[in-house]
Structures are given as C-alpha cells and as structure tokens.
Amino acid sequence: MQGLAEHEKLADRVKITQKDLEQDGFSKNPFFHSIIAEVPEYHKTKEGHTKIGYALYFYSYSSWKGRAIYMEDLYVMPEFRGKGIGKALMRKVAQVTGPGCRLNFTILNWNKSSLDFYPNQGCFDVKADLGYHYMICEGEVLQHVAQP
Amino acid sequence: MQGLAEHEKLADRVKITQKDLEQDGFSKNPFFHSIIAEVPEYHKTKEGHTKIGYALYFYSYSSWKGRAIYMEDLYVMPEFRGKGIGKALMRKVAQVTGPGCRLNFTILNWNKSSLDFYPNQGCFDVKADLGYHYMICEGEVLQHVAQP
C-alpha cells in the first residue's frame, strides 16, 4: 500500500495502520477482500519481499444496475511489472465479480499508462459520459478479463 | 430510484428490478442499506405515495484511511424539497458512519444546487485535489452533519 501511494506521489496520505487492516479485513464480516501476488523465495526482492503485488476490492452497489465490485487498489512492485502480474490480479478480481455484476475503479488523471491500458481492455470512463470519473468494466468485457 | 434517474435526466439507465432489490438489500448479508423518508397519510402525494425520499448506501474501504460509507443515492421528491428532508436523510447516514469513518459520494457536474450545497456543509471535492471526482465528508464536518 505504501508502495502504491508512493507511485501515486501521495505517500503521506496513508494513515491506515496494520492493526486497522487486520481488524477490518480479517474479521467475520470483512470490510474488504484482497488478492496477493507472491513469487518463490529465489525471486524475492533485495529487501526480502516475496509478496510483490496485490489487488484490494469490496462489494458495492449501483441503484441502476445492482451488484458491483469496486477495485480500490491494483499494484505491482516496479521491478515485477511488464510480466502480466497486474493483468492476472485483475483477472482474479473479475472472476469474483461474476456475470451481470460490474467492476468499477478509479484512475488518476496523470496515470497515462493506466489511461491507455484499461480502455484498451474494453473498460470505459463514465466521466466522458455522465460527468463522473469512474472506470467501468462489465458484460462481455468483464467476462473477457475474467478468462484464464 | 426512477424519480432520481429522471431528475438526473438518465431514466433509461435504470435496469434494476424490484426482485433484484429485494434479493440484494434484504438478505442475510445485504449488498446495500437504505433509509426511507415517509410522510403521514394526510400528506401523501396525489399518486398516493407516502414514501417520499430515500438514501441508499453501502460500506466501502479506503486503503489509505480505512472504513468508509459510500452514499450511492440521496433523493427527495420535488414537491417535498426545501423542508430539510434531504439534510435529515444525510444526517442519518452520517450517524451510521461513525467517527473516524468517511462518507463518500458523487455529484453530477451539472447539478449546481448540489455543487453549492455540499461544499457549504464542509464536504470537499477530491477532484480538485487528486484528479478524482469524489466528494468526501469526514472528521469534524461529518460529526457536525451527524448531529441531530
């Protein structure tokens, strides 16, 4: 999370603690769910990390379209990018989402690689349409993303 | 919901059915929560409605700040506006939210009365700040909104 915030040039915004995360994500009714990307020991980073990426999501709801999943974070450490790990994480989230359910997320304005990548996958920016700034992935596009 | 979509000039976007809503909102682990504003029989609309406004929200999560509530809808029928009903609904949602938890929502670009109203209450637009288009209500402002 700290890595993602640094990438977003907003590291000082992270106020959450490990205790908050343990409490909120690993209780009986968790506030969020997460998927972790892990590499074998022999690929670990020079700092010794084997957990090198993650996606964090929660269930949300649209009063027009019903059930949705909001993907809050998708992050891969810089040295592991370009290997399809981000795509694999997103695929897992799309698999949870299921048919008829939307997958929403937000992109920072200046994040050019994301602004190129997601529309290429078929996701669309609601902003262009309605004045919001949400990215939406649904229907066939979502099924496509979910495919192993 | 149909009334809100009409107000947003997007009535044709509503794809959800009564059955979806019953299933998703009134099961053991509901996907959303709602607060309904109701008037006594003698104030009912000419169509016979006594339920004249609602707020719909669900729990969301920020990986920087933790627990949050996302207010998906806040609606009051036109003839009942200007009486503080919207404010009362928002107050109830803010009370659920609790201290240390954020309240987020989105405003349409052209909705001038909302764009005036919410910043006046102390809510701020993350867009100006980060490139998102979320409204956020937290801390003392949220406590203030929550006060009866």
Side-chain angles (χ1 to χ4, degrees), chain A residues 91-145:
Chain A
R91 186 190 311 135
K92 288 282 179 194
V93 177
Q95 287 167 0
V96 174
T97 308
C101 183
R102 283 181 157 192
L103 173 61
N104 301 337
F105 54 100
T106 312
I107 301 176
L108 286 167
N109 272 343
W110 55 262
N111 194 340
K112 208 183 159 311
S113 65
S114 290
L115 287 172
D116 287 343
F117 176 74
Y118 292 112
N120 257 336
Q121 304 277 306
C123 306
F124 59 95
D125 183 349
V126 194
K127 189 196 180 189
D129 189 5
L130 298 180
Y132 296 168
H133 210 297
Y134 258 149
M135 297 301 290
I136 291 188
C137 182
E138 62 181 356
E140 284 176 25
V141 171
L142 182 60
Q143 282 172 37
H144 180 77
V145 173

Coordinates of all heavy atoms in Angstrom, one line a residue, chain A residues 91-145:
Chain A
R91 N -7.7 -10.2 -13.4 CA -8.4 -11.3 -13.9 C -9.1 -12.0 -12.7 O -10.3 -12.4 -12.7 CB -7.5 -12.3 -14.6 CG -8.3 -13.5 -15.2 CD -7.3 -14.5 -15.8 NE -6.3 -13.9 -16.6 CZ -5.0 -14.2 -16.5 NH1 -4.5 -15.1 -15.6 NH2 -4.1 -13.6 -17.3
K92 N -8.3 -12.2 -11.6 CA -8.9 -12.9 -10.4 C -10.1 -12.0 -9.8 O -11.1 -12.6 -9.4 CB -7.8 -13.0 -9.3 CG -6.8 -14.0 -9.6 CD -7.3 -15.4 -9.4 CE -6.3 -16.5 -9.7 NZ -6.9 -17.9 -9.7
V93 N -9.9 -10.7 -9.8 CA -11.0 -9.9 -9.3 C -12.2 -10.0 -10.2 O -13.3 -10.2 -9.8 CB -10.5 -8.4 -9.2 CG1 -11.7 -7.5 -8.7 CG2 -9.4 -8.3 -8.2
A94 N -11.9 -10.0 -11.5 CA -13.0 -10.2 -12.5 C -13.8 -11.5 -12.3 O -15.0 -11.6 -12.5 CB -12.5 -10.0 -13.9
Q95 N -13.0 -12.5 -11.9 CA -13.6 -13.8 -11.7 C -14.6 -13.8 -10.5 O -15.6 -14.4 -10.5 CB -12.6 -14.9 -11.5 CG -11.9 -15.2 -12.8 CD -10.6 -16.1 -12.7 OE1 -10.2 -16.4 -11.6 NE2 -10.0 -16.4 -13.8
V96 N -14.2 -13.1 -9.4 CA -15.0 -12.9 -8.3 C -16.3 -12.2 -8.6 O -17.4 -12.5 -8.2 CB -14.3 -12.1 -7.2 CG1 -15.2 -11.9 -6.0 CG2 -13.0 -12.9 -6.7
T97 N -16.1 -11.2 -9.5 CA -17.2 -10.3 -9.8 C -18.4 -11.1 -10.4 O -19.6 -10.8 -10.0 CB -16.7 -9.3 -10.9 OG1 -15.5 -8.7 -10.3 CG2 -17.7 -8.2 -11.1
G98 N -18.2 -12.0 -11.3 CA -19.3 -12.8 -11.8 C -20.1 -12.1 -12.9 O -20.0 -10.9 -13.0
P99 N -20.8 -12.9 -13.7 CA -21.6 -12.2 -14.8 C -22.7 -11.4 -14.2 O -23.3 -11.7 -13.1 CB -22.2 -13.4 -15.5 CG -22.2 -14.6 -14.5 CD -21.1 -14.3 -13.5
G100 N -23.0 -10.3 -14.9 CA -24.1 -9.4 -14.5 C -23.7 -8.5 -13.4 O -24.5 -7.6 -13.0
C101 N -22.5 -8.6 -13.0 CA -22.0 -7.7 -11.9 C -20.9 -6.8 -12.5 O -20.2 -7.2 -13.4 CB -21.5 -8.6 -10.8 SG -20.9 -7.8 -9.3
R102 N -20.9 -5.5 -12.1 CA -19.9 -4.6 -12.7 C -18.6 -4.6 -11.8 O -18.6 -4.9 -10.7 CB -20.4 -3.2 -12.6 CG -21.4 -2.9 -13.6 CD -21.8 -1.5 -13.5 NE -22.3 -0.9 -14.7 CZ -22.5 0.4 -14.9 NH1 -22.1 1.3 -13.9 NH2 -23.0 0.8 -16.0
L103 N -17.6 -4.2 -12.5 CA -16.3 -4.0 -11.8 C -15.9 -2.5 -12.0 O -15.8 -2.1 -13.2 CB -15.2 -4.9 -12.3 CG -13.8 -4.7 -11.9 CD1 -13.7 -4.9 -10.4 CD2 -12.8 -5.6 -12.5
N104 N -15.9 -1.7 -10.9 CA -15.6 -0.3 -11.1 C -14.2 0.0 -10.4 O -13.8 -0.6 -9.5 CB -16.6 0.5 -10.3 CG -18.0 0.3 -10.8 OD1 -18.2 -0.1 -12.0 ND2 -19.0 0.6 -10.0
F105 N -13.6 1.0 -10.9 CA -12.3 1.5 -10.3 C -12.0 2.9 -10.7 O -12.7 3.4 -11.6 CB -11.2 0.6 -10.6 CG -11.0 0.3 -12.0 CD1 -10.0 1.0 -12.7 CD2 -11.8 -0.6 -12.7 CE1 -9.8 0.7 -14.1 CE2 -11.6 -0.9 -14.0 CZ -10.6 -0.2 -14.7
T106 N -11.1 3.5 -10.2 CA -10.7 4.9 -10.5 C -9.3 5.0 -10.9 O -8.4 4.3 -10.5 CB -10.9 5.8 -9.2 OG1 -12.2 5.5 -8.6 CG2 -10.9 7.3 -9.6
I107 N -9.0 5.9 -11.8 CA -7.7 6.1 -12.3 C -7.3 7.6 -12.1 O -8.1 8.5 -12.3 CB -7.6 5.8 -13.8 CG1 -8.0 4.4 -14.2 CG2 -6.2 6.1 -14.4 CD1 -8.0 4.1 -15.7
L108 N -6.0 7.8 -11.7 CA -5.6 9.1 -11.5 C -5.4 9.8 -12.9 O -5.0 9.1 -13.9 CB -4.2 9.2 -10.8 CG -4.4 8.9 -9.3 CD1 -3.0 8.6 -8.7 CD2 -5.0 10.1 -8.6
N109 N -5.7 11.1 -13.0 CA -5.6 11.8 -14.2 C -4.3 11.7 -15.0 O -4.3 11.6 -16.2 CB -5.8 13.3 -14.0 CG -7.3 13.7 -14.0 OD1 -8.1 12.9 -14.5 ND2 -7.7 14.8 -13.4
W110 N -3.2 11.7 -14.2 CA -1.9 11.8 -14.9 C -1.3 10.4 -15.2 O -0.2 10.3 -15.7 CB -0.9 12.5 -14.0 CG -0.8 12.0 -12.6 CD1 -1.5 12.4 -11.5 CD2 0.0 10.8 -12.2 NE1 -1.1 11.6 -10.4 CE2 -0.3 10.7 -10.8 CE3 0.8 9.9 -12.8 CZ2 0.3 9.7 -10.0 CZ3 1.4 8.9 -12.1 CH2 1.1 8.8 -10.7
N111 N -2.1 9.3 -14.8 CA -1.5 8.0 -14.9 C -1.7 7.5 -16.3 O -2.6 6.7 -16.6 CB -2.2 7.0 -13.9 CG -1.4 5.7 -13.8 OD1 -0.7 5.3 -14.6 ND2 -1.7 5.0 -12.7
K112 N -0.9 7.9 -17.2 CA -1.0 7.7 -18.6 C -1.0 6.2 -19.0 O -1.9 5.8 -19.8 CB 0.0 8.5 -19.4 CG -0.5 8.8 -20.8 CD 0.5 9.5 -21.7 CE 0.1 9.3 -23.2 NZ -0.2 8.0 -23.6
S113 N -0.2 5.4 -18.4 CA -0.2 4.0 -18.8 C -1.5 3.3 -18.4 O -2.0 2.5 -19.2 CB 1.0 3.3 -18.1 OG 0.9 3.3 -16.7
S114 N -2.1 3.7 -17.3 CA -3.4 3.2 -16.9 C -4.5 3.7 -17.8 O -5.4 2.9 -18.3 CB -3.8 3.5 -15.5 OG -3.0 2.8 -14.6
L115 N -4.4 5.0 -18.2 CA -5.4 5.6 -19.0 C -5.4 5.0 -20.4 O -6.4 5.0 -21.2 CB -5.3 7.1 -19.1 CG -5.7 7.8 -17.8 CD1 -5.3 9.3 -17.9 CD2 -7.2 7.7 -17.6
D116 N -4.2 4.4 -20.8 CA -4.1 3.7 -22.1 C -4.6 2.3 -21.9 O -5.3 1.7 -22.7 CB -2.7 3.7 -22.6 CG -2.2 5.1 -23.1 OD1 -3.1 5.9 -23.4 OD2 -1.0 5.3 -23.2
F117 N -4.1 1.6 -20.8 CA -4.3 0.2 -20.7 C -5.7 -0.2 -20.5 O -6.2 -1.1 -21.3 CB -3.5 -0.3 -19.4 CG -3.7 -1.7 -19.1 CD1 -3.1 -2.7 -19.9 CD2 -4.5 -2.1 -18.0 CE1 -3.2 -4.0 -19.5 CE2 -4.6 -3.5 -17.7 CZ -4.0 -4.4 -18.5
Y118 N -6.5 0.4 -19.6 CA -7.8 -0.1 -19.3 C -8.8 0.1 -20.5 O -9.6 -0.8 -20.8 CB -8.3 0.5 -18.0 CG -7.6 0.0 -16.8 CD1 -6.8 0.9 -16.1 CD2 -7.7 -1.3 -16.4 CE1 -6.0 0.4 -15.0 CE2 -7.0 -1.8 -15.4 CZ -6.2 -0.9 -14.6 OH -5.5 -1.4 -13.6
P119 N -8.8 1.3 -21.1 CA -9.8 1.4 -22.3 C -9.4 0.4 -23.4 O -10.3 -0.1 -24.0 CB -9.5 2.8 -22.8 CG -9.1 3.6 -21.5 CD -8.2 2.6 -20.8
N120 N -8.1 0.1 -23.5 CA -7.7 -1.0 -24.4 C -8.3 -2.3 -24.1 O -8.5 -3.2 -25.0 CB -6.2 -1.1 -24.4 CG -5.6 -0.4 -25.6 OD1 -6.2 -0.3 -26.6 ND2 -4.3 0.0 -25.5
Q121 N -8.5 -2.6 -22.8 CA -9.2 -3.8 -22.4 C -10.7 -3.8 -22.6 O -11.3 -4.8 -22.3 CB -8.9 -4.0 -20.9 CG -7.5 -4.0 -20.5 CD -6.8 -5.4 -20.7 OE1 -7.3 -6.4 -20.2 NE2 -5.8 -5.4 -21.5
G122 N -11.2 -2.6 -22.9 CA -12.6 -2.5 -23.1 C -13.4 -1.8 -22.0 O -14.6 -1.6 -22.1
C123 N -12.7 -1.4 -21.0 CA -13.3 -0.7 -19.9 C -13.6 0.7 -20.4 O -12.9 1.2 -21.3 CB -12.3 -0.6 -18.7 SG -11.7 -2.1 -18.1
F124 N -14.6 1.4 -19.8 CA -14.9 2.7 -20.3 C -15.0 3.7 -19.1 O -15.2 3.3 -18.0 CB -16.1 2.8 -21.1 CG -17.4 2.3 -20.5 CD1 -18.3 3.2 -19.8 CD2 -17.7 1.0 -20.5 CE1 -19.4 2.8 -19.2 CE2 -18.9 0.5 -19.8 CZ -19.7 1.5 -19.2
D125 N -14.7 5.0 -19.4 CA -14.7 6.0 -18.4 C -16.1 6.7 -18.4 O -16.5 7.3 -19.4 CB -13.6 7.0 -18.9 CG -13.4 8.1 -17.8 OD1 -14.3 8.2 -16.9 OD2 -12.5 8.9 -18.0
V126 N -16.7 6.6 -17.2 CA -18.1 7.1 -17.1 C -18.0 8.6 -17.2 O -19.0 9.3 -17.5 CB -18.7 6.7 -15.8 CG1 -20.2 7.0 -15.8 CG2 -18.5 5.3 -15.5
K127 N -16.9 9.2 -16.9 CA -16.7 10.6 -16.9 C -17.1 11.2 -18.2 O -17.9 12.2 -18.3 CB -15.3 11.1 -16.5 CG -15.2 12.5 -16.3 CD -13.7 13.0 -16.4 CE -13.6 14.5 -16.1 NZ -12.2 14.9 -16.4
A128 N -16.6 10.7 -19.3 CA -16.9 11.1 -20.6 C -18.4 11.2 -20.9 O -18.9 12.0 -21.7 CB -16.2 10.2 -21.6
D129 N -19.1 10.3 -20.2 CA -20.5 10.0 -20.4 C -21.4 10.8 -19.5 O -22.3 11.5 -20.0 CB -20.6 8.5 -20.2 CG -21.9 7.9 -20.6 OD1 -22.8 8.7 -21.2 OD2 -22.2 6.8 -20.3
L130 N -21.1 10.8 -18.3 CA -22.0 11.3 -17.3 C -21.5 12.5 -16.4 O -22.2 13.0 -15.6 CB -22.4 10.2 -16.3 CG -23.2 9.0 -16.9 CD1 -23.5 8.0 -15.7 CD2 -24.4 9.4 -17.5
G131 N -20.2 12.7 -16.5 CA -19.7 13.6 -15.5 C -19.0 13.0 -14.3 O -18.6 13.7 -13.4
Y132 N -19.0 11.7 -14.2 CA -18.3 11.1 -13.1 C -16.9 10.8 -13.5 O -16.5 11.1 -14.7 CB -18.9 9.7 -12.7 CG -20.3 9.8 -12.2 CD1 -21.0 8.6 -12.0 CD2 -20.9 10.9 -11.8 CE1 -22.3 8.6 -11.5 CE2 -22.2 10.9 -11.3 CZ -22.9 9.7 -11.2 OH -24.2 9.7 -10.7
H133 N -16.2 10.2 -12.7 CA -14.8 9.8 -13.1 C -14.5 8.4 -12.7 O -13.4 8.0 -12.2 CB -13.8 10.8 -12.4 CG -12.6 10.9 -13.3 ND1 -11.7 9.9 -13.5 CD2 -12.1 12.0 -13.9 CE1 -10.7 10.3 -14.3 NE2 -10.9 11.6 -14.5
Y134 N -15.4 7.5 -12.9 CA -15.3 6.1 -12.6 C -14.9 5.3 -13.9 O -15.5 5.6 -15.0 CB -16.7 5.6 -12.2 CG -16.9 5.4 -10.8 CD1 -18.2 5.5 -10.3 CD2 -15.9 5.0 -9.9 CE1 -18.4 5.4 -8.9 CE2 -16.1 4.8 -8.6 CZ -17.4 5.0 -8.1 OH -17.7 4.8 -6.8
M135 N -14.2 4.3 -13.8 CA -14.0 3.3 -14.8 C -14.9 2.2 -14.6 O -15.0 1.7 -13.5 CB -12.5 2.9 -14.9 CG -11.5 3.9 -15.2 SD -11.8 4.8 -16.8 CE -11.4 3.5 -18.0
I136 N -15.5 1.6 -15.6 CA -16.4 0.5 -15.5 C -16.0 -0.6 -16.5 O -15.6 -0.3 -17.6 CB -17.8 1.0 -15.8 CG1 -18.3 1.9 -14.7 CG2 -18.8 -0.2 -16.0 CD1 -19.7 2.3 -14.7
C137 N -16.2 -1.8 -16.0 CA -15.8 -3.0 -16.7 C -17.0 -3.9 -16.5 O -17.3 -4.3 -15.4 CB -14.5 -3.5 -16.1 SG -13.9 -5.0 -16.9
E138 N -17.7 -4.3 -17.6 CA -18.9 -5.1 -17.4 C -19.2 -5.9 -18.6 O -18.5 -5.8 -19.7 CB -20.1 -4.2 -17.1 CG -20.4 -3.2 -18.2 CD -21.6 -2.3 -17.9 OE1 -22.2 -2.4 -16.8 OE2 -21.9 -1.5 -18.7
G139 N -20.2 -6.8 -18.5 CA -20.7 -7.6 -19.6 C -19.6 -8.4 -20.2 O -18.8 -9.1 -19.5
E140 N -19.6 -8.4 -21.5 CA -18.6 -9.3 -22.3 C -17.2 -8.9 -22.0 O -16.3 -9.8 -21.9 CB -18.8 -9.2 -23.8 CG -20.1 -10.0 -24.2 CD -20.3 -9.8 -25.7 OE1 -19.4 -9.4 -26.4 OE2 -21.5 -9.9 -26.1
V141 N -16.9 -7.6 -21.8 CA -15.6 -7.1 -21.5 C -15.1 -7.8 -20.2 O -14.0 -8.3 -20.1 CB -15.5 -5.6 -21.4 CG1 -14.2 -5.2 -20.9 CG2 -15.8 -5.0 -22.8
L142 N -16.0 -7.7 -19.2 CA -15.7 -8.3 -17.9 C -15.4 -9.8 -18.0 O -14.5 -10.3 -17.4 CB -16.8 -8.0 -16.9 CG -16.6 -8.5 -15.5 CD1 -15.4 -7.9 -14.9 CD2 -17.8 -8.2 -14.6
Q143 N -16.3 -10.5 -18.7 CA -16.1 -11.9 -18.9 C -14.8 -12.2 -19.6 O -14.1 -13.1 -19.3 CB -17.2 -12.5 -19.8 CG -18.5 -12.7 -19.0 CD -19.7 -13.1 -19.9 OE1 -19.5 -13.8 -20.8 NE2 -20.9 -12.5 -19.6
H144 N -14.4 -11.3 -20.6 CA -13.2 -11.5 -21.3 C -12.0 -11.3 -20.3 O -11.0 -12.1 -20.3 CB -13.1 -10.5 -22.4 CG -11.8 -10.6 -23.2 ND1 -11.6 -11.5 -24.1 CD2 -10.7 -9.8 -23.1 CE1 -10.4 -11.4 -24.6 NE2 -9.8 -10.3 -24.0
V145 N -12.1 -10.3 -19.5 CA -11.0 -10.0 -18.5 C -10.9 -11.2 -17.5 O -9.8 -11.6 -17.0 CB -11.2 -8.7 -17.7 CG1 -10.2 -8.5 -16.6 CG2 -11.2 -7.5 -18.7

